[in-house]
Amino acid sequence: MITGEYRYSLDEKGRLMIPSKMRAEIAGNVMILTRGVDRCLWIFPIDEWKSISANILASTSLFQEKARLIQRRIIAPAQEAEIDKSGRMSIPQTLREYAHLKKECIVLGMLRYVEIWDEETYMRYLESTEDSFKEAAEE
């Protein structure tokens, strides 16, 4: 299980530390990095990505506009990313721009995948969704 909330800084080359506890749960050192929902990035272990992308393709049609939108936003920008010997992952410029990653980042373990957020964006997200969170918790 990949869990936890961590704060790390992007280095000048666009690399971000992946927590050792998360790395220990991942087979190999290559993961799939793609755009997520809510202006964050998603990182999937290879096997999980194969399952997710196959599920997206199986449940959508090339002839439906919303399906193509999902495919273009999630599958198309996906890239393999290698975790180096120091535990860092290089995040491509296009994905850094999408998630507005500047310097300080939040790394969240979501059991089967990881989210990467710009710290300021994540704090605004938490504030703006507080009421919705309370409602969801009560349900």
Side-chain angles (χ1 to χ4, degrees), residues 79-99:
Q79 298 182 42
E80 282 190 2
E82 187 172 346
I83 300 172
D84 69 16
K85 290 178 183 171
S86 298
R88 299 169 303 191
M89 175 181 285
S90 183
I91 301 176
Q93 180 68 29
T94 56
L95 293 177
R96 288 196 315 260
E97 289 171 0
Y98 168 79

Side-chain angles (χ1 to χ4, degrees), residues 1 27 35 42 49 51 63 65 72 86 96 105 119:
M1 290 191 320
R35 291 177 185 163
W42 289 340
W49 174 251
S51 175
F63 302 103
E65 183 178 353
R72 288 176 184 143
S86 298
R96 288 196 315 260
C105 298
E119 183 179 44

Side-chain angles (χ1 to χ4, degrees), residues 20 25 31 54 58-59 71 76 79 84 94-95 104 109 131 139:
S20 60
E25 297 294 326
M31 302 197 46
S59 63
Q71 292 170 6
Q79 298 182 42
D84 69 16
T94 56
L95 293 177
E104 301 305 318
D131 290 340
E139 289 177 17

